[in-house]
Amino acid sequence: MRVGAVVIRIIRQLLRDKRSIALLIFAPLLVITLVWLVLDGDPYEPKIAAENIPAPLEQVLQNELEKDVVQMSESEAKEAFQKEDLDAFITIKNHVPYVLLEGSDPTANSAVMKVIQTAFSSLSDQKNIQPDVEYYYGSDKINLFDQTGSVLIGFFVFFFVFVLGGISFLRERTQGTLEKLLSTPIKRWEIVTGYLLGFGLFTIIQSFVIVTYCVYVLDIWMAGDFWQLLVVTFLLAITALALATLLSAFANNELQIMQFIPIVIIPQAFFSGIFNLETLAEWLQVLSKFMPLTYGADAIQEIMIKGKDLVDLWQDLLILFGFALLFYVLNIFALKKHRRL
Amino acid sequence: MASMIIVRKAAISFGKEKVLKNIDLDVNEGEIFGLLGPSGSGKTTLVKMITGILEGDQGEIFIKDQKVPSLELMKSIGYMAQSDALYQELTAKENLEFIAAIYGLKRQERKKAIQEVLEIVDLTDHMDKVVKDFSGGMKRRLSLAASLMHKPDLLILDEPTVGIDPVLRQSIWSELRKLKNNGMTILVTTHVMDEAEKCDRLAMLRDGYIIACDTPEKLKENQKVDSLEEAFLAYGRNEK
């Protein structure tokens, strides 16, 4: 079995190259941890000011904040916003509670809203009253970590598999082993299949470690099923691998593989859901439809945040599988450049 | 004598550059045939076409009366490229195991074949060493071993002794002669004259043409010169 021979060879090679395995598995862990440290630190303690609020409300707010609510007027509060030393201002306007958020920092926003909501719900006679919320800066659409944490898993799986897979296949060419291989009766599809299976094994391990780490160590919000998430990350990794081997046909050295990163990887990061796309120009939104990471990240997000099942996500998965298949077939054709047969 | 390789009117160009123009060549079964020419004369291109990796724009190539390229034919060709096509992270044995599996050798045959070729190139003691730690000469010998794994009828060697010391070069040539005596046909490219001297027959390649083809002795005789180098230059002048 020639495919089997290629698979075994790749496993042996990678096992000897401990650093590459480390890149594949631990580099994503390190980077995700860094992001987590930055975005998911200790709970934020908001600074809230108030004017003319009823005593019971002031009391529960103080209990909730574990410190005094500062008294100031609305104009004083706005000045404080500009100096960045106040997070929210609360008062009563037309018999309805009114909250003005500083708004530029999503972490602060959600911290304030949490305090205020708890405060209102603990006032039994005020249960049905919803405060009017306004933003001094920004808007309530920003909630960075909710969106990014899950997408980052997809992104880093994609990124590191792409780099390692691309360079490995390129080396096959630069060190002359591809030419040697093509002088044997091996078929082109056997080479590509062997590559995907051999590396695929390592990407399964990679996906498993990253997902386990994020869910159980970093405690990322995870509403869905662990194994279903694993299926999606693996499918994403295989797509990245197929794309990497395909593109490596158009690179002459390692540096040129790196040059694909700003062209192929970074745009995917920007347009795949880390940032909100709805505000973008329509042609940019269309662009994201041609990026595999869009579908992978979406599926990961749906599983992790909304707790959906693979069955609900069949469209994402089908498209992702289609991408992988397309890259696989194009790969076999790209090898024609080196041997037509 | 039966023909192993027949090349008829082969031509190939890369972009606008015509690398080979109208090549005719006959290599007999069981001989060591040399392709002599300066670098850039198209030697590598020609052997790649004979192997079936490259396909020409014109002409035909036959090996054992079968048309090239064919995956079936590749089973009976051993090809050693100019660069050592080895996996640096693997041991010598693992490299050979891989090639053996690609050629479809059974597990039992594999073991035996690896032993045999390692003995031929005198690397038996180093078979569990990682190739990265090999010297240049050892890598060259391992590459040769890899191209012998499946006992090919036709062995194609592209500059097999480049960068190899004279002692090792001698030993490789004596191995080639042994293989030839066992019935193997060997096609070897070189730009070194004293190596060309060791071939049974020789084709001189220059600017995409074969300017002469005969035994080393006859080539010298025809031009009434003492060395192949002078013969090569003389043929080159006549061409113009």
Side-chain angles (χ1 to χ4, degrees):
Chain A
M1 202 33 202
R2 283 192 283 260
V3 173
V6 178
V7 172
I8 289 170
R9 191 208 84 217
I10 286 168
I11 293 172
R12 279 176 165 169
Q13 268 184 298
L14 259 188
L15 286 179
R16 290 255 160 73
D17 190 1
K18 302 275 189 301
R19 257 213 263 181
S20 292
I21 299 182
L23 173 81
L24 195 64
I25 294 174
F26 295 107
L29 294 191
L30 176 71
V31 184
I32 291 178
T33 307
L34 286 177
V35 175
W36 172 77
L37 282 174
V38 172
L39 293 185
D40 197 48
D42 287 335
Y44 183 79
E45 285 180 10
K47 283 183 229 109
I48 298 179
E51 186 185 36
N52 300 330
I53 54 169
L57 178 58
E58 191 173 345
Q59 191 56 47
V60 287
L61 274 178
Q62 273 174 6
N63 288 348
E64 200 56 46
L65 288 168
E66 295 172 358
K67 64 183 172 200
D68 282 349
V69 174
V70 192
Q71 295 291 336
M72 56 172 82
S73 69
E74 187 165 347
S75 57
E76 282 173 329
K78 283 179 180 167
E79 249 172 71
F81 285 158
Q82 282 164 7
K83 286 187 217 140
E84 287 185 29
D85 47 23
L86 187 65
D87 292 315
F89 171 73
I90 180 165
T91 186
I92 308 285
K93 276 189 181 171
N94 308 322
H95 308 291
V96 178
Y98 168 75
V99 179
L100 184 64
L101 289 169
E102 191 267 344
S104 67
D105 182 358
T107 324
N109 289 349
S110 52
V112 170
M113 287 318 289
K114 213 173 126 203
V115 167
I116 287 171
Q117 260 144 22
T118 336
F120 275 98
S121 61
S122 64
L123 288 173
S124 52
D125 58 328
Q126 303 277 359
K127 267 218 170 94
N128 296 325
I129 295 181
Q130 283 298 317
D132 283 330
V133 180
E134 273 179 29
Y135 287 76
Y136 190 69
Y137 299 119
S139 86
D140 63 346
K141 290 282 183 282
I142 314 168
N143 193 339
L144 209 58
F145 193 62
D146 281 354
Q147 282 183 338
T148 49
S150 48
V151 177
L152 281 180
I153 293 180
F155 174 68
F156 287 123
V157 164
F158 199 93
F159 177 80
F160 288 104
V161 169
F162 181 87
V163 171
L164 191 63
I167 289 180
S168 298
F169 202 64
L170 174 97
R171 264 205 227 139
E172 186 95 42
R173 213 146 42 81
T174 51
Q175 73 187 359
T177 44
L178 181 67
E179 190 184 289
K180 167 79 191 170
L181 216 47
L182 288 174
S183 79
T184 74
I186 197 168
K187 296 181 181 73
R188 279 180 283 120
W189 72 265
E190 289 175 318
I191 299 179
V192 179
T193 311
Y195 247 83
L196 291 190
L197 291 181
F199 268 104
L201 236 112
F202 286 91
T203 67
I204 290 180
I205 300 170
Q206 181 209 35
S207 297
F208 183 82
V209 174
I210 292 178
V211 169
T212 308
Y213 182 77
C214 287
V215 172
Y216 295 105
V217 180
L218 294 188
D219 207 21
I220 277 187
W221 179 266
M222 173 68 172
D225 182 57
F226 179 85
W227 296 104
Q228 297 192 7
L229 179 58
L230 209 56
V231 170
V232 178
T233 49
F234 172 65
L235 191 56
L236 189 61
I238 284 290
T239 312
L241 188 58
L243 178 63
T245 51
L246 175 64
L247 288 183
S248 78
F250 304 99
N252 292 322
N253 53 50
E254 275 88 347
L255 193 63
Q256 291 191 344
I257 293 276
M258 293 299 170
Q259 288 163 2
F260 280 124
I261 292 173
I263 296 167
V264 177
I265 304 287
I266 305 290
Q268 294 206 69
F270 279 101
F271 297 124
S272 66
I274 292 182
F275 303 105
N276 200 318
L277 281 182
E278 280 156 32
T279 54
L280 280 179
E282 208 157 296
W283 66 272
L284 275 174
Q285 291 187 36
V286 170
L287 213 59
S288 77
K289 300 263 185 279
F290 295 97
M291 300 176 174
L293 193 56
T294 304
Y295 304 95
D298 182 59
I300 291 173
Q301 225 173 8
E302 296 279 305
I303 289 177
M304 293 188 76
I305 293 173
K306 299 183 187 159
K308 292 206 174 161
D309 287 324
L310 290 183
V311 191
D312 308 320
L313 303 170
W314 66 272
Q315 273 184 320
D316 277 341
L317 299 180
L318 191 72
I319 295 174
L320 208 51
F321 183 76
F323 268 116
L325 193 70
L326 175 73
F327 296 149
Y328 170 77
V329 173
L330 288 178
N331 238 313
I332 296 173
F333 276 100
L335 275 182
K336 269 198 170 185
K337 208 172 118 190
H338 304 287
R339 188 183 79 187
R340 212 177 56 85
L341 202 63
Chain B
M1 221 187 288
S3 284
M4 176 57 94
I5 307 171
I6 300 171
V7 180
R8 288 289 171 267
K9 293 192 187 338
I12 191 171
S13 41
F14 298 126
K16 276 183 183 161
E17 193 194 355
K18 286 185 177 169
V19 177
L20 293 177
K21 310 153 189 166
N22 205 17
I23 298 280
D24 282 308
L25 192 69
D26 289 86
V27 177
N28 296 328
E29 249 176 56
E31 69 177 347
I32 298 184
F33 189 94
L35 267 179
L36 177 68
S39 49
S41 58
K43 299 187 297 284
T44 299
T45 306
L46 182 55
V47 293
K48 275 193 195 173
M49 283 169 71
I50 292 171
T51 315
I53 301 174
L54 277 180
E55 277 179 76
D57 308 325
Q58 285 168 39
E60 288 174 317
I61 298 174
F62 296 92
I63 293 176
K64 296 196 288 186
D65 297 329
Q66 293 172 63
K67 194 168 178 348
V68 175
S70 122
L71 289 178
E72 198 53 39
L73 264 180
M74 284 176 172
K75 286 180 192 165
S76 48
I77 301 176
Y79 172 62
M80 175 179 166
Q82 227 168 60
S83 61
D84 297 309
L86 300 167
Y87 297 99
Q88 306 286 326
E89 300 88 349
L90 302 187
T91 64
K93 193 177 155 208
E94 286 167 344
N95 264 290
L96 294 179
E97 274 173 355
F98 172 63
I99 295 294
I102 294 293
Y103 277 112
L105 268 65
K106 301 272 179 309
R107 212 163 273 276
Q108 285 303 318
E109 298 174 294
R110 248 183 255 177
K111 229 175 166 175
K112 217 178 125 221
I114 289 173
Q115 289 294 346
E116 276 174 21
V117 294
L118 281 176
E119 258 162 55
I120 292 178
V121 296
D122 195 21
L123 282 177
T124 315
D125 296 338
H126 305 282
M127 68 183 217
D128 289 318
K129 232 192 232 174
V130 176
V131 168
K132 209 167 37 190
D133 302 331
F134 272 27
S135 70
M138 285 161 85
K139 284 182 193 168
R140 213 77 198 111
R141 273 141 71 199
L142 186 60
S143 294
L144 177 63
S147 55
L148 294 173
M149 281 302 296
H150 56 297
K151 298 198 176 68
D153 301 328
L154 171 62
L155 183 61
I156 298 177
L157 308 170
D158 196 0
E159 308 256 9
T161 57
V162 162
I164 281 192
D165 61 84
V167 181
L168 188 60
R169 189 183 295 181
Q170 279 299 331
S171 89
I172 284 187
W173 270 96
S174 71
E175 277 318 319
L176 293 185
R177 229 163 272 127
K178 263 187 239 164
L179 292 167
K180 169 207 145 117
N181 291 339
N182 289 333
M184 203 178 275
T185 309
I186 299 171
L187 175 64
V188 54
T189 75
T190 182
H191 63 264
V192 187
M193 298 297 166
D194 74 311
E195 222 167 73
E197 202 90 52
K198 294 175 178 142
C199 300
D200 297 329
R201 284 199 311 138
L202 205 55
M204 290 180 166
L205 200 60
R206 190 168 151 160
D207 297 332
Y209 289 105
I210 287 180
I211 53 176
C213 179
D214 215 324
T215 64
E217 291 70 33
K218 287 247 178 72
L219 287 172
K220 284 183 276 188
E221 242 175 68
N222 288 346
Q223 295 294 329
K224 301 185 177 61
V225 288
D226 298 326
S227 73
L228 272 178
E229 194 155 4
E230 288 168 290
F232 187 84
L233 293 172
Y235 277 112
R237 271 194 295 276
N238 295 353
E239 196 65 25
K240 281 170 188 167

